[in-house]
Amino acid sequence: MSRIQELIKEMCPNGVKFYKVKEFANVTIGEFIHKNKQSNDGPYPVYNGGISNTGFYDEYNNDGHKVIISARGANAGFVNRVVGKYWAGNSCYTISINEENLINWNYLYQYLKNNQSSLLGGQQTGSIPAISKKQVEEFKIAIPAIEVQEEIVRILDKFGELEAELEAELEARQSQYEFWRGKIFESHMNGKIKHITDIAMIKARVGWQRLTTAEYLSAGDYYLITGTDFKNDGKIDFNKCVFVTKERYEMDENIQVHKNDILITKDGTLGKVAYLNDEPDKLTTLNSGVFRIKVTDKNVLPRYIYHYFNSKAFRDFVESVKTGSTIPHLTQEKLVSLNIPIPNIKEQEKIINILDKFEDLTRSLSVGLPAEIELRRKQYEYYRNQLLSFKELNNG
């Protein structure tokens, strides 16, 4: 019998008592701090309604070992933990334990994290999703003996440490990938350079073609790719696509998407890139936030251009020509000014082979470290759920 099983059998054989958060902790909301007062190098992180900190500030309003929950926004209900001094914004709930003999703060974090889907599922609907302070205060937590909590935390933190080590290794490999990809394209900058309009057609939905939100369908026969459908592995998640009518699909053949097309986002999060290895299983078109690039030069391989668009050289180009402030844009007028190094076909094939292998190792969930991280994450979530599933003690 494992140590945790022995502890549970000894200390809570008939179940455990459930407590509301408000019975052992204080829940507070933070104070607004404007983004322009934050920096990248201040001493204290600022947490608000997102998954990570929004920046740093030279003051703090919380200190210690705290559990925080996003109060509003798309991630309302997201659970995190903070050690030390930080600034809680006005979209951040802080849970401060006042009964430390009753509950371990890391156990509280793990329990809430395991039930995060319940908090996210409890978002109040409206223009801005939110969860209320009362929802957090009334949330019930199973609290076994401290010794049981500490053993659960020890086991789960071991899983977390292993995942962190793997993620650090993956980050190092990704940096190596970025370095060599940059070197590969840099080495060809003194060779043959071609203007993008000489090798490809660039099209996007513009002007009178634009679709309104009301024209997006939840089901239908024609895919509409938007910027949110781009995956990290350079593919399109067609399961997330909305649909449009036949009339809208047929409006302009130049924005109909086909095999070997390269797609680039042009609004908001700029420069996300996807490559279509295969013909989509439904007729497919684009919304106004995505460029379609079709290589027309038979001496240029589309997959080579896809890799170039993922390079630092292209990202630097986008950064230098983007317009807008609140919502950045990459205009077609700027994109057509791009020049690209084009080696011979054999050299392009060699570059594609090298970069495809790097990409698989650093991005694909089916091979390499990403696959192992995904496996460890699933194991962690499985055991967390097993360890934190307690029967409620019947006091009757």
Side-chain angles (χ1 to χ4, degrees):
M1 184 181 293
S2 70
R3 171 67 175 157
I4 189 66
Q5 288 174 318
E6 290 175 355
L7 286 171
I8 291 172
K9 184 177 180 181
E10 176 187 347
M11 297 185 169
C12 44
N14 301 315
V16 303
K17 187 174 179 180
F18 282 58
Y19 294 80
K20 294 178 179 179
V21 169
K22 68 181 181 182
E23 295 181 78
F24 60 80
N26 292 322
V27 180
T28 56
I29 190 76
E31 304 169 64
F32 175 74
I33 180 70
H34 200 280
K35 182 67 177 175
N36 63 16
K37 290 188 176 181
Q38 300 175 42
S39 67
N40 293 323
D41 56 2
Y44 309 116
V46 178
Y47 289 94
N48 231 308
I51 291 175
S52 59
N53 63 292
T54 59
F56 295 85
Y57 189 44
D58 56 6
E59 296 180 26
Y60 65 91
N61 58 9
N62 276 276
D63 189 10
H65 296 68
K66 303 294 174 68
V67 178
I68 61 175
I69 300 178
S70 297
R72 60 180 65 87
N75 298 303
F78 181 86
V79 179
N80 207 341
R81 56 183 167 182
V82 186
V83 177
K85 298 177 175 66
Y86 67 97
W87 185 277
N90 66 332
S91 293
C92 174
Y93 292 123
T94 291
I95 303 178
S96 302
I97 294 172
N98 51 32
E99 296 288 346
E100 294 183 356
N101 292 329
L102 176 68
I103 187 166
N104 177 294
W105 83 281
N106 255 327
Y107 173 84
L108 173 63
Y109 163 75
Q110 295 287 4
Y111 194 92
L112 287 171
K113 196 69 177 176
N114 193 52
N115 289 276
Q116 182 173 271
S117 59
S118 298
L119 291 167
L120 292 168
Q123 290 179 354
Q124 299 169 11
T125 57
S127 57
I128 301 176
I131 63 168
S132 69
K133 180 181 176 183
K134 183 177 180 181
Q135 283 175 281
V136 177
E137 290 177 329
E138 294 290 324
F139 201 87
K140 295 182 75 175
I141 310 290
I143 304 184
I146 283 287
E147 292 87 345
V148 175
Q149 296 177 45
E150 289 174 346
E151 182 64 11
I152 289 171
V153 167
R154 186 190 70 79
I155 294 169
L156 294 178
D157 279 353
K158 282 290 183 184
F159 275 105
E161 287 169 11
L162 178 57
E163 185 179 324
E165 288 173 7
L166 291 171
E167 287 177 338
E169 175 65 18
L170 178 60
E171 185 175 345
R173 290 192 186 183
Q174 287 171 332
S175 296
Q176 184 184 38
Y177 171 40
E178 289 293 324
F179 173 80
W180 286 112
R181 182 168 58 188
K183 284 291 185 184
I184 285 172
F185 289 112
E186 187 180 297
S187 67
H188 289 90
M189 289 306 293
N190 294 324
K192 195 169 187 179
I193 305 294
K194 287 197 173 184
H195 193 268
I196 190 171
T197 56
D198 292 331
I199 63 170
M201 175 188 74
I202 305 171
K203 292 293 179 181
R205 188 182 293 275
V206 294
W208 59 272
Q209 300 171 329
R210 292 183 184 274
L211 287 81
T212 65
T213 303
E215 291 178 284
Y216 297 176
L217 307 175
S218 60
D221 294 326
Y222 302 90
Y223 285 135
L224 176 72
I225 294 174
T226 71
T228 61
D229 302 325
F230 285 63
K231 297 167 66 178
N232 290 333
D233 61 0
K235 297 177 182 177
I236 295 295
D237 188 349
F238 286 100
N239 291 323
K240 290 176 61 179
C241 285
V242 291
F243 297 83
V244 289
T245 62
K246 178 181 179 181
E247 290 75 21
R248 275 302 200 174
Y249 168 78
E250 293 176 344
M251 183 173 287
D252 186 345
E253 66 178 2
N254 286 329
I255 50 174
Q256 295 169 4
V257 178
H258 299 286
K259 180 179 178 180
N260 292 326
D261 283 348
I262 304 157
L263 307 179
I264 300 177
T265 54
K266 59 191 282 289
D267 297 311
T269 305
L270 300 183
K272 289 194 291 185
V273 185
Y275 177 77
L276 276 75
N277 284 302
D278 303 297
E279 195 72 21
D281 63 359
K282 293 179 185 288
L283 298 177
T284 304
T285 187
L286 306 170
N287 84 336
S288 56
V290 182
F291 284 119
R292 176 198 178 205
I293 297 171
K294 177 180 175 59
V295 174
T296 53
D297 188 328
K298 65 180 181 180
N299 294 312
V300 179
L301 299 174
R303 186 77 180 170
Y304 170 82
I305 300 300
Y306 159 76
H307 280 299
Y308 182 81
F309 285 145
N310 271 311
S311 71
K312 184 177 184 298
F314 181 68
R315 290 197 301 273
D316 289 345
F317 167 80
V318 171
E319 191 65 25
S320 70
V321 300
K322 70 180 183 181
T323 61
S325 53
T326 306
I327 301 177
H329 301 281
L330 174 61
T331 66
Q332 188 158 340
E333 178 185 7
K334 297 295 184 181
L335 183 57
V336 298
S337 68
L338 177 68
N339 291 307
I340 304 176
I342 306 291
N344 62 55
I345 287 283
K346 285 190 176 180
E347 189 66 17
Q348 291 178 49
E349 289 173 342
K350 180 180 176 182
I351 290 170
I352 290 168
N353 185 49
I354 293 170
L355 295 182
D356 277 353
K357 287 179 179 177
F358 264 118
E359 193 170 85
D360 275 345
L361 287 170
T362 58
R363 290 187 181 180
S364 174
L365 286 179
S366 62
V367 296
L369 278 172
E372 190 168 351
I373 290 171
E374 185 69 11
L375 175 62
R376 296 301 180 193
R377 186 169 292 137
K378 287 179 179 177
Q379 287 179 329
Y380 168 58
E381 291 173 354
Y382 170 79
Y383 284 109
R384 184 177 65 191
N385 188 56
Q386 293 293 309
L387 290 169
L388 295 172
S389 295
F390 290 100
K391 180 175 68 174
E392 188 165 5
L393 184 66
N394 185 351
N395 293 320

